[in-house]
Amino acid sequence: MSTSTRKSKTAPDDFVAMLETSEADTKQIFADAAKAAERLRKTTLATRLEAVKKLVDHITRNKEEIIDVITRETRKSRSDALISELLGVLDNCEWLLHNAKKILADKKVSTPITLLGKKSRIYHEPLGTVLVIAPWNYPFHIGLTSILAAYVCGNAVVFKPSEITPMQGLFEKLFNVDPLLEQSVFIAYGTGVTAQRLIDQHPAKIFFTGSARTGKKILAQAADKLIPVDLELGGKDQAIIFDDVNIQRAAKGVLWGALTNAGQSCSSVERIYVQDGIYDQFVQTLQTEIRKLVVNAGDTGNADMGGMTVDFQLDIVRKQVDDARAKGARILTGGDLLCDNELFYMPTLLTHVDDSMLVMQQETFGPLLPVLRFSSEDEVIQLSNATEFGLSASVWSKDAARAERVARQLECGAVSINNVMLTEGNPGLPFGGTKASGYGRQKGAEGLLGYTRSKSVLIDGDSAKIEPNWYPYTQQKYNLFSQLIDALFTASPWRLLKAALIGMKLEAEAKKER
Amino acid sequence: MKRMHDYIIVGSGASGSVLAHYLTQAGADVLMLEAGKRFTAATFPQNEMDANAQLMWNGGMDMSRDAATLFIRGKVLGGGTIINQCLLDRFDDVALDDWRTAAGIDFFRNRDMERHYDAVESNLSLHYMEKADWNRNAELYVEGFEKLGLEWAPLRRGQSDCGKGNDCIVCLGGCPRKSKQSMLETFLPKAEKNGLKILSEFEVAEVVHGQQFVTLQGRHQGHPHSLYGRQVILAAGALGTTQLLLKAGVQKRLPALGRNFHCHPQWMTVGFFDEPVDSHKGAFQSVKSTDPRFRDWGFKLENVFAGPIAMSLLKPGYGFEHQRFMQRYRNMACIEVAVRDQAAGTLALSNKGRLVIDKPLSDGDRQRANRGNQIVHDIFSTLGAREIMTSPIQIALHLMGGCSIGTRASDSVVNEQFQVHGLPRLRIADSSIFPNAPGINPSLSIMALSHRAAETLLAEAGIAPSTSTTRKQEQQA
Ligand SMILES: Cc1cc2nc3c(=O)[nH]c(=O)nc-3n(C[C@H](O)[C@H](O)[C@H](O)COP(=O)(O)OP(=O)(O)OC[C@H]3O[C@@H](n4cnc5c(N)ncnc54)[C@H](O)[C@@H]3O)c2cc1C
C-alpha cells in the first residue's frame, strides 16, 4: 500500500519509527485510487455492504487483540477502548447495514403540474477518491467510521491515520477480510507533510477531524484547488445543571463526560455550570466521586481513566492548570501529574474559575473539571454560549420543558438532555459542530450523504411532443403563459382546473410553427 | 502525599512487615497499607471483647459457609502476629517435601530454606519454654503424655522478656509487655526507621494492574482514596489477598485462584478437674506434642486454653447448663487437636462481593480429628477428669492457600519469583501461597518466604540487599 523512507521526529519512541509517505508514493496512491474508484462504480451497494458484514464479524472475533493495539498506542483504559472505540465502530457498521440502502437509493422527487407526465430523481453518486485524515484520540473509531461510510457510498479512500497513533498494520489486517475493500482503501502514514502531499493530489473531498489549527491549514490548501472539506474540530462543551436534578446521577454523568478517554474527546465536558441552589453539594459529590476513580492503562478492563496520549497535549493541560491556579482558581483534586515521567494527569476539579483563565478560553482536551455557578436560565444560556466553540452540550433538569427550551438556544451541533455525550451513542444522529468547532456532519443520513454528490435527473419520454417553452415564442404563447401564471398564483378553488385548461391550450399552440 | 511508590505493601502481618523491613533496609521507597488500626503495647484493648472487636476482622467471627468453622484473623497493624501465640517453628522435611511435590518448586528444601530461616530468626528473640514457665494446664498435659507414653517437647516461642506474674492469655489481645515478638516489636520499627511509610486504617478494595504501575483503590479512614505502586505486594493474608485477586477478576486466567485453602482446623477438649487448674494464669502455652506417630496420623495436640468469651462459645446451648459450664472456668484443663487438613477448601466471592469460605472436612480429616480427640479423652481420663467435653465447633487460626505457588498458571497463582502469573507487578509471599497444609505453625515460614521474596525483588531492581546506608545517602543527596 504505502511505503517510504523518512523518519519523523514526532514518532513516540516506543512505537515503530514513523515513516513519511513520499511524493512519488502519494502520486501512485492516487493513480491507483482512481482505478479503484472506477472499479467501484461498477459494484453494487450490496456487494460493498458485504465487506462491512465481514468486518463486523472480524472485529467481534478479534476484539481483544485490537484493543491491545489501541491501548498500547493511546494509553487509554481498556474499557474506554472497548466501549468507545470497538462498540462505537460496530454500532456504526450495524447502522450502515440497516440504513445505507434506504438512504443511498435513488430518490424520487415529485414533479410539479407544469411538468406533467415527467419523472424526477436524485442519484447519490460517489465523489471519487476521498481523503480521510484521522486524529489520535479515537484512532480506531473515527478512522474506521469515516472510511466505511466513504467506501459504502462507492468511494475509493485514501486514509492518513495520525502519526501519533498509526497502529501500523492493524487497518491493513482488517481490510484484508474483503478483496474489494482491500483494493479500495489506501493507507498513507505520515505527519502533516504527508497530508499536504496527499491534498496536492486533489482528492474529491477531505474529511478532517482534529485541531482547529491544522483544520485551517488544510482548508487554506484546499481552497486553492476548490476541494470541499468537512471539518470536525475542537470544542469547549458545557454541561448545564439545574438545581432540580438528581445530584448523584448528574455528577456521575458529568464526571464521565469530562474524564472519558482522559478528557481527550472533542465533545468532552469542559465547562460545568451548576445552579446556585445545589452548587456546593454538587462540587462535594464530584470531589468524592473523583476520589473513587482508578487511573491506569494496560489494565484488564477495571481501570476508569487512562493516560494522556501525547506530551504536547499534557503540556497544554498543565499550562491551563498553572494559569488557573495563579489567577485564583481553587484546585480541589489532582492539579498535577500522577508522577514524573508518566503521561498520566490526575482528574482535576477546579472552582473559582473565570473568563480570564486559559482553561475557560481554550480547548483543554484533558481531565479537567472547571465548575462554575449560575443563577438563572437566561444567564446560563448567555454565559455558556459566549465561547468561540460550538460542538455539543448537555442540559440536566427534571423540568423537560425547560431542558428543551435551553437546548434550542444553545449554539452547538448536539445536545444531550439529562445525559452526556449520548447523541454520539446513536449512529443515526449526525455529529458535527458550529462556529470554531467546524462544519459538515458525520454519521446519520446527513453524514452518509456527505460522501456522495447528488445528481438530479428528470425523465421524459421520447415522443413527437414539442414543449410549449421551446421556440418559437409567439404572442399567443406569451399571453397563455401570462394567464397560466395568474391562474397558478392567484388563490381560487378553480386554480388547478384553470391551469390545466391553459396548459392544454399551450400544448396545442406548441404544435404550430410560427 | 506522594501518590506513586516503588513498592506498596498491602497488609502488615508476618509477610508484609518482613518484606517492608528488607526492602527499606536496602533503601527502597515503600508504603504499607493496613486496614486495621495502629496500637501500641500501651494502648491495646483491655479485655477480650474489645480485643475481638478492635483487632480482628468481623469481630473474630468469620464463619465457613456451613457455619461449622470459625476463622480468626487479625485486623490491626502487625496483622495476625499481634493476636497470635507466636510459636515459631521451622518446617520439617515432611512439610517441605510435600510442598516441593505439590508446587514443583525446587527451593522447598531445608538446604535452601535454612538461609531464610536464619535471616528472619536473627531479628527475633526466641525462647524455649522452661519447666519454671509451666502452669497447671501444662503440668497436666505433660503428666498425661508421660502416663500414655507419648512424646512431648518444650515450645519455642517468640518473646523477649515476659517478666513476672503475667497471665499470658492477655497477649492474644496484644502483648502489653513489649515481649511477644509481634511485627510491632520486631520488623516494623526497624522498617519505619529506614523510611517505611505506613497508612493504617486503609482498606484496599481493589487492585488494578496496569502496564506501568498498579492502582490500589480503597478507603482511608472511611474516605475513598487511590494510590499507585510500581510493584504491589499483597500481604493481606490467605483470605485478604485471595479476596483482592478474586475482585480483580483474574479467575478466568488463573483457575487455581481461591483453591487449595487450608486452615489446620482445631477442636478443643476441656477436662474438668475437682481442683482449680487456672489455665488462664501464667504462661499460657508451654509444651507441644512431638510424637512421630502424630505426624504420621496428621495432627498435633496443643497445650492451650482461651479467654472466657471464646470458652463460652465452645459450649452449645444456653441457660443454666451453660452457666454451670462457665462457673467451672477455673477447673478447666484444655488440650486441642490441630489437624493437618488434607481436603482443600475454596474461597469465592458472593454476588455482593463478600468472601465465601467453603471448607468441608473430608472423611480422612474427620478420622484424623477423631483419632486425636480420642487420645485427648484418654489423657484426661487417665488424669482423673470428672467430665470431658469436646467442642463441636472447629476453630481455624492458620489460614493458608488460595493463591498457591507453583510453576504454571493452570494450577497455581504465583510463580517462583512470587509474581502473580501474567500480572508481573503483583507479588505475594504471605500465607495465601501455601500449596497445602504443612501441619506446622506457619508464621516463621511466612517470614522466611517473605525474606526470599524481598531478595528476589531487590535483585530484579538491581539493588543489593542491605547496603542500605550508601543508597540512602545518595537518595538524600
Ligand atoms: C489466635 C491465633 C494464634 C496463632 N498462633 C500462631 C502461632 O503460635 N504460631 C504461628 O506460626 N502462627 C500462629 N497463628 C497464625 C499466624 O498468625 C498467621 O498465619 C500469620 O499471621 C499470617 O501472616 P500473613 O502475613 O499471611 O497475614 P496476616 O498476619 O493475617 O496479615 C494480614 C494483614 O493484612 C491486613 N489486610 C487484609 N486485607 C486487607 C485489605 N483489603 N486492605 C488492607 N489491609 C488488609 C489485615 O488486617 C492483616 O493485618 C495464629 C493465629 C491466630 C489468629
Side-chain angles (χ1 to χ4, degrees):
Chain A
M1 289 185 182
S2 66
T3 45
S4 191
T5 43
R6 210 158 59 80
K7 267 193 180 182
S8 147
K9 307 194 278 273
T10 48
D13 41 71
D14 49 343
F15 299 160
V16 190
M18 194 55 233
L19 303 170
E20 209 71 81
T21 305
S22 71
E23 253 182 270
D25 284 339
T26 50
K27 274 211 183 87
Q28 189 59 47
I29 286 174
F30 271 82
D32 292 346
K35 282 184 210 139
E38 194 76 11
R39 236 181 352 254
L40 278 169
R41 296 199 64 110
K42 298 185 190 106
T43 63
T44 62
L45 174 65
T47 313
R48 298 193 298 270
L49 285 174
E50 267 314 301
V52 177
K53 262 189 224 147
K54 288 183 202 163
L55 256 186
V56 168
D57 191 48
H58 179 86
I59 293 170
T60 308
R61 274 189 288 108
N62 296 285
K63 54 179 182 306
E64 297 301 329
E65 291 76 7
I66 296 170
I67 293 174
D68 282 343
V69 178
I70 299 174
T71 53
R72 196 165 58 236
E73 299 214 358
T74 59
R75 244 172 250 99
K76 269 176 212 273
S77 69
R78 199 168 185 87
S79 288
D80 266 348
L82 177 73
I83 297 165
S84 301
E85 297 256 42
L86 273 270
L87 186 59
V89 162
L90 292 172
D91 270 349
N92 271 299
C93 288
E94 240 354 78
W95 183 87
L96 281 176
L97 290 172
H98 286 113
N99 298 281
K101 194 170 163 204
K102 197 173 60 212
I103 295 165
L104 297 178
D106 292 349
K107 193 170 171 196
K108 285 188 192 163
V109 174
S110 65
T111 308
I113 183 157
T114 45
L115 303 180
L116 202 69
K118 303 169 180 59
K119 287 182 277 186
S120 303
R121 297 285 183 270
I122 302 173
Y123 299 167
H124 300 296
E125 300 196 329
L127 300 166
T129 300
V130 301
L131 172 60
V132 173
I133 302 177
W136 47 262
N137 62 336
Y138 292 101
F140 189 73
H141 182 172
I142 295 178
L144 210 49
T145 302
S146 191
I147 291 169
L148 290 181
Y151 170 76
V152 161
C153 292
N155 297 288
V157 186
V158 177
F159 171 57
K160 190 193 91 61
S162 165
E163 68 273 22
I164 290 156
T165 53
M167 307 198 295
Q168 295 239 17
L170 177 68
F171 287 109
E172 287 87 337
K173 220 189 245 168
L174 290 181
F175 300 147
N176 244 329
V177 299
D178 183 277
L180 184 64
L181 178 64
E182 203 247 332
Q183 293 159 19
S184 307
V185 185
F186 301 81
I187 305 174
Y189 293 102
T191 66
V193 175
T194 293
Q196 270 171 22
R197 288 179 185 152
L198 294 168
I199 296 170
D200 273 341
Q201 296 305 315
H202 208 134
K205 186 170 177 182
I206 303 168
F207 296 85
F208 171 76
T209 307
S211 71
R213 204 168 47 90
T214 311
K216 282 180 195 164
K217 270 197 227 160
I218 289 174
L219 204 54
Q221 197 189 347
D224 207 40
K225 300 183 155 53
L226 289 175
I227 304 170
V229 185
D230 268 8
L231 292 174
E232 190 57 66
L233 309 175
K236 193 80 202 160
D237 292 6
Q238 65 270 51
I240 297 174
I241 296 121
F242 287 98
D243 59 13
D244 56 352
V245 294
N246 177 325
I247 293 178
Q248 189 68 26
R249 178 175 187 274
K252 279 187 173 261
V254 164
L255 189 72
W256 182 81
L259 300 182
T260 182
N261 212 30
Q264 303 163 112
S265 307
C266 27
S267 56
S268 290
V269 173
E270 297 215 347
R271 295 174 295 150
I272 304 165
Y273 291 93
V274 184
Q275 202 167 15
D276 274 336
I278 57 164
Y279 181 87
D280 291 334
Q281 205 186 335
F282 197 85
V283 168
Q284 178 71 51
T285 309
L286 276 178
Q287 194 171 356
T288 307
E289 291 302 316
I290 288 172
R291 294 185 71 174
K292 293 182 190 166
L293 292 175
V294 169
V295 174
N296 212 326
D299 59 307
T300 55
N302 43 3
D304 296 310
M305 194 186 94
M308 305 281 299
T309 304
V310 261
D311 49 4
F312 63 74
Q313 199 60 48
L314 184 70
D315 290 342
I316 293 174
V317 175
R318 297 176 84 168
K319 205 167 126 199
Q320 289 190 6
V321 172
D322 289 347
D323 169 76
R325 193 186 271 123
K327 290 175 180 158
R330 298 214 186 127
I331 287 149
L332 301 186
T333 67
D336 53 9
L337 292 172
L338 168 58
C339 67
D340 292 344
N341 310 320
E342 289 282 0
L343 294 182
F344 287 83
Y345 199 87
M346 297 307 287
T348 300
L349 181 62
L350 302 114
T351 60
H352 298 80
V353 289
D354 62 49
D355 289 346
S356 74
M357 299 172 185
L358 296 176
V359 70
M360 289 301 293
Q361 297 162 3
Q362 306 171 341
E363 185 175 32
T364 304
F365 229 61
L368 306 188
L369 300 98
V371 191
L372 300 109
R373 197 189 272 275
F374 76 92
S375 32
S376 74
E377 190 178 319
D378 285 345
E379 180 197 5
V380 77
I381 290 166
Q382 186 252 319
L383 276 178
S384 76
N385 275 338
T387 166
E388 63 172 309
F389 294 102
L391 191 53
S392 73
S394 62
V395 180
W396 305 74
S397 172
K398 202 174 243 90
D399 179 348
R402 166 163 69 184
E404 217 185 303
R405 201 161 59 227
V406 174
R408 286 185 193 280
Q409 293 179 78
L410 295 178
E411 297 163 359
C412 59
V415 181
S416 295
I417 293 178
N418 289 317
N419 213 307
V420 68
M421 291 172 85
L422 202 60
T423 53
E424 290 150 77
N426 178 356
L429 288 174
F431 180 77
T434 176
K435 303 200 281 190
S437 294
Y439 42 74
R441 293 289 181 266
Q442 289 293 312
K443 306 206 264 198
E446 196 179 339
L448 193 63
L449 291 174
Y451 292 91
T452 64
R453 182 187 304 116
S454 64
K455 179 180 275 174
S456 298
V457 180
L458 193 129
I459 306 159
D460 200 355
D462 178 42
S463 68
K465 203 180 123 199
I466 306 295
E467 293 289 347
N469 62 311
W470 297 349
Y471 303 131
Y473 288 165
T474 62
Q475 194 59 50
Q476 181 60 11
K477 275 193 195 174
Y478 184 90
N479 295 341
L480 283 169
F481 269 115
S482 177
Q483 284 169 28
L484 183 67
I485 288 173
D486 292 345
L488 277 174
F489 302 105
T490 310
S492 148
W494 313 112
R495 198 169 66 93
L496 290 183
L497 190 64
K498 280 191 205 161
L501 285 171
I502 299 166
M504 279 163 66
K505 284 187 196 158
L506 266 170
E507 268 172 33
E509 206 57 33
K511 289 179 187 148
K512 299 179 186 161
E513 291 295 329
R514 185 183 280 276
Chain B
M1 191 181 34
K2 211 175 108 169
R3 294 193 190 94
M4 178 69 83
H5 295 270
D6 290 346
Y7 300 94
I8 300 185
I9 301 176
V10 182
S12 60
S15 174
S17 296
V18 169
L19 269 148
H21 168 58
Y22 288 108
L23 293 176
T24 52
Q25 192 181 41
D29 156 42
V30 189
L31 172 70
M32 174 181 273
L33 305 177
E34 166 56 52
K37 288 203 174 94
R38 181 195 273 261
F39 286 89
T40 66
T43 62
F44 281 126
Q46 295 290 319
N47 61 62
E48 195 187 354
M49 187 147 98
D50 288 348
N52 290 357
Q54 295 179 28
L55 307 181
M56 294 174 198
W57 284 89
N58 306 313
M61 296 293 277
D62 276 326
M63 298 290 268
S64 60
R65 202 159 65 142
D66 58 8
T69 311
L70 182 68
F71 302 95
I72 297 177
R73 53 174 176 140
K75 181 185 184 182
V76 53
L77 187 66
T81 72
I82 298 297
I83 59 163
N84 75 7
Q85 177 47 10
C86 213
L87 304 175
L88 299 174
D89 296 321
R90 295 188 180 197
F91 281 4
D92 59 9
D93 288 336
V94 176
L96 287 172
D97 289 349
D98 282 357
W99 274 25
R100 202 169 57 249
T101 313
I105 285 177
D106 207 45
F107 64 72
F108 287 139
R109 54 176 88 234
N110 255 313
R111 176 156 44 82
D112 295 299
M113 288 301 294
E114 200 171 19
R115 191 162 64 77
H116 304 299
Y117 282 123
D118 288 345
V120 291
E121 283 181 4
S122 73
N123 290 278
L124 296 163
S125 177
L126 296 167
H127 174 75
Y128 281 94
M129 302 301 283
E130 296 153 21
K131 201 163 178 180
D133 297 321
W134 294 2
N135 65 4
R136 183 68 190 137
N137 196 33
E139 282 170 18
L140 287 169
Y141 181 100
V142 173
E143 261 176 63
F145 265 61
E146 308 247 285
K147 279 194 175 150
L148 294 183
L150 303 170
E151 275 181 41
W152 63 274
L155 278 175
R156 186 170 77 150
R157 186 163 188 265
Q159 62 182 59
S160 59
D161 181 8
C162 295
K164 291 254 170 307
N166 65 324
D167 296 327
C168 214
I169 204 162
V170 176
C171 86
L172 292 183
C175 172
R177 298 183 176 224
K178 295 174 128 321
S179 172
K180 184 169 80 177
Q181 299 290 284
S182 73
M183 293 300 131
L184 209 52
E185 302 302 335
T186 53
F187 291 93
L188 275 179
K190 291 184 190 179
E192 280 196 280
K193 205 179 275 167
N194 281 322
L196 172 70
K197 283 168 243 64
I198 300 178
L199 283 183
S200 52
E201 295 173 74
F202 193 116
E203 183 171 343
V204 174
E206 228 188 308
V207 179
V208 178
H209 187 278
Q211 184 75 30
Q212 302 295 333
F213 52 87
V214 178
T215 310
L216 295 174
Q217 153 65 206
R219 288 184 164 260
H220 185 217
Q221 295 175 336
H223 301 292
H225 199 83
S226 292
L227 286 161
Y228 305 83
R230 297 282 173 198
Q231 290 278 332
V232 164
I233 298 158
L234 298 180
L239 300 190
T241 294
T242 307
Q243 182 170 22
L244 285 173
L245 274 191
L246 284 167
K247 271 198 200 164
V250 295
Q251 210 175 4
K252 241 194 209 158
R253 282 192 292 143
L254 298 172
L257 180 62
R259 305 269 166 84
N260 276 357
F261 174 67
H262 292 82
C263 66
H264 292 165
Q266 305 179 343
W267 285 261
M268 284 181 132
T269 296
V270 182
F272 293 92
F273 290 84
D274 289 340
E275 90 257 26
V277 182
D278 282 342
S279 298
H280 58 291
K281 303 295 268 185
F284 153 76
Q285 207 174 355
S286 304
V287 285
K288 64 174 179 183
S289 61
T290 47
D291 202 290
R293 286 168 295 179
F294 290 4
R295 187 78 174 126
D296 289 345
W297 295 338
F299 61 82
K300 291 195 303 175
L301 296 191
E302 311 270 20
N303 155 225
V304 292
F305 196 55
I309 294 179
M311 289 314 284
S312 76
L313 285 174
L314 298 182
K315 167 83 184 163
Y318 306 93
F320 182 65
E321 183 75 4
H322 198 267
Q323 193 182 5
R324 212 177 67 88
F325 174 80
M326 287 310 291
Q327 262 166 357
R328 293 181 293 162
Y329 185 73
R330 292 189 59 196
N331 301 66
M332 295 175 184
C334 181
I335 298 176
E336 176 186 84
V337 176
V339 167
R340 184 184 185 202
D341 45 336
Q342 289 176 302
T346 55
L347 306 174
L349 288 187
S350 71
N351 286 341
K352 286 186 183 150
R354 287 185 71 95
L355 195 65
V356 180
I357 310 172
D358 250 311
K359 187 65 177 80
L361 287 177
S362 67
D363 290 345
D365 291 333
R366 221 173 269 286
Q367 275 164 19
R368 289 175 171 208
N370 290 344
R371 186 169 217 162
N373 282 326
Q374 190 52 53
I375 295 175
V376 177
H377 274 251
D378 292 348
I379 291 173
F380 283 139
S381 308
T382 321
L383 292 171
R386 176 160 294 274
E387 193 185 326
I388 303 168
M389 185 207 84
T390 296
S391 157
I393 291 186
Q394 301 139 43
I395 299 170
L397 309 177
H398 300 168
L399 313 184
M400 305 165 292
C403 305
S404 305
I405 193 166
T407 52
R408 290 175 306 249
S410 56
D411 59 3
S412 65
V413 176
V414 301
N415 65 20
E416 289 191 69
Q417 271 71 250
F418 303 92
Q419 199 168 36
V420 177
H421 296 300
L423 300 175
R425 295 180 180 278
L426 276 187
R427 307 295 180 129
I428 310 177
D430 68 6
S431 46
S432 68
I433 69 169
F434 281 28
N436 54 42
I440 295 177
N441 283 313
S443 62
L444 187 70
S445 299
I446 296 168
M447 294 181 217
L449 287 171
S450 300
H451 174 258
R452 188 178 175 96
E455 274 185 357
T456 309
L457 282 169
L458 291 172
E460 274 173 24
I463 306 175
S466 70
T467 50
S468 53
T469 38
T470 44
R471 208 184 118 86
K472 273 220 128 36
Q473 279 155 4
E474 273 169 34
Q475 279 191 336
Q476 274 153 14

